[in-house]
């Protein structure tokens, strides 16, 4: 007679372990997420701190502040009055000594330097870590207005560059009727155009260019008068005048209409 064993349902002890394992994984995932956010927050905070430090160094720290002895100037030595130009640059930049370079207003500096009549163009740029680079294109005398005593040197636009006692070499002597007024610029441009049309041989013979409105005349070193008229056809007039002067000596050379020149 065989005995029957009682039926014992299978245990499911493994399921409790599975639930515990899932919970642990979930908790670990949360902890990893928190760590990731902490790392990201630390990195973001570090970046912000670094940006703030760089901003302070550039905008507030004396480490990158302007030093007067670190201002480099080029081009001023070719100006008619280099000392005056350098003084203007120094007085303009000295105001900002100790100011962080990024806070130095370059446009304002250029405007201040341009007030010097000897400066035609200027470019100011930062020269790290503590300097400025100032590049000057100076006005150079293009002509000299005859005065009762001496001469006033003028730029190509009629701007006065300073007065001298003796003639300035290489530029024409002019008498501009608009001298000292707003009309001097146009007359200076016209005088420069006529002078530019003359050959070197003619320049050597011209002593004065007179511009009175639209009427231009010249005197030669020999005392003759040249009737030029307007600046129209200046190159043609120059060629005709050279032929006239070479052909005969006269007291008046008229090339106002170069197609019908005359002398007397």
């Amino acid at each position: 007679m065989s005995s029957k064993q009682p039926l014992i349902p299978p245990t499911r002890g493994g399921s409790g372990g599975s639930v515990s394992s899932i919970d642990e994984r979930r908790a670990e995932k949360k902890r990893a997420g928190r760590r990731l956010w902490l790392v990201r927050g630390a990195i973001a905070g570090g970046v912000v701190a670094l940006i703030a430090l760089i901003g302070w160094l550039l905008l507030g720290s004396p480490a990158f502040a302007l030093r007067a002895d670190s201002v480099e100037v080029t081009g001023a030595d070719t100006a008619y009055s280099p000392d005056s130009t350098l003084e203007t640059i120094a007085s303009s930049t000295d105001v900002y000594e100790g100011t962080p370079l990024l806070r130095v207003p370059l446009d304002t500096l250029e405007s201040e330097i341009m007030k010097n009549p000897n400066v035609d163009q200027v470019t100011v740029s930062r020269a790290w870590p503590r300097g400025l680079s100032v590049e000057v294109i100076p006005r150079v005398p293009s002509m000299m207005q005859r005065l009762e005593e001496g001469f006033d040197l003028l730029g190509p636009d009629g701007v006065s560059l300073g007065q001298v006692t003796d003639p300035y070499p290489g530029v024409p002597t002019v008498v501009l009727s608009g001298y000292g007024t707003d009309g001097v610029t146009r007359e200076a441009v016209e005088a420069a155009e006529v002078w530019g049309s003359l050959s070197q041989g003619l320049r050597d013979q011209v002593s004065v260019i007179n511009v009175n409105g639209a009427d231009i005349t010249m005197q030669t070193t020999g005392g003759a008068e040249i009737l030029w008229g307007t600046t129209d056809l200046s190159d043609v007039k120059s060629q005709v005048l050279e032929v006239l002067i070479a052909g005969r000596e006269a007291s008046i050379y008229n090339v106002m209409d170069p197609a019908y020149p005359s002398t007397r």
Side-chain angles (χ1 to χ4, degrees), residues 28 38 203 254:
E28 178 60 29
L38 287 174
R203 291 182 183 181
N254 187 343

Side-chain angles (χ1 to χ4, degrees), residues 56-141:
W56 176 78
L57 285 173
L58 294 177
L59 297 173
S61 168
F64 297 101
L66 176 63
R67 288 177 46 176
D69 59 2
S70 296
V71 177
E72 182 180 358
V73 181
T74 57
D77 55 325
T78 58
Y80 162 68
S81 181
D83 291 341
S84 169
T85 304
L86 291 173
E87 287 173 5
T88 298
I89 294 172
S91 63
S92 300
T93 56
D94 285 352
V95 174
Y96 299 100
E97 184 169 15
T99 302
L101 278 187
L102 278 182
R103 290 167 52 193
V104 175
L106 303 186
D107 291 344
T108 300
L109 269 179
E110 291 174 351
S111 297
E112 287 297 316
I113 295 171
M114 282 294 294
K115 292 179 181 178
N116 188 306
N118 291 283
V119 177
D120 184 46
Q121 297 179 43
V122 64
T123 302
V124 181
S125 56
R126 297 178 179 88
W128 297 97
R130 306 189 65 180
L132 292 173
S133 174
V134 183
E135 299 180 19
V136 175
I137 298 178
R139 295 181 188 273
V140 295

Side-chain angles (χ1 to χ4, degrees), residues 107-185:
D107 291 344
T108 300
L109 269 179
E110 291 174 351
S111 297
E112 287 297 316
I113 295 171
M114 282 294 294
K115 292 179 181 178
N116 188 306
N118 291 283
V119 177
D120 184 46
Q121 297 179 43
V122 64
T123 302
V124 181
S125 56
R126 297 178 179 88
W128 297 97
R130 306 189 65 180
L132 292 173
S133 174
V134 183
E135 299 180 19
V136 175
I137 298 178
R139 295 181 188 273
V140 295
S142 297
M143 62 197 73
M144 47 190 172
Q145 167 78 24
R146 177 172 284 177
L147 305 175
E148 290 185 4
E149 294 184 5
F151 304 87
D152 189 6
L153 299 179
L154 306 179
D157 53 1
V159 173
S160 174
L161 306 182
Q163 297 182 3
V164 294
T165 302
D166 299 321
Y168 190 85
V171 301
T173 299
V174 298
V175 176
L176 307 178
S177 65
Y179 176 71
T181 71
D182 293 339
V184 71
T185 297

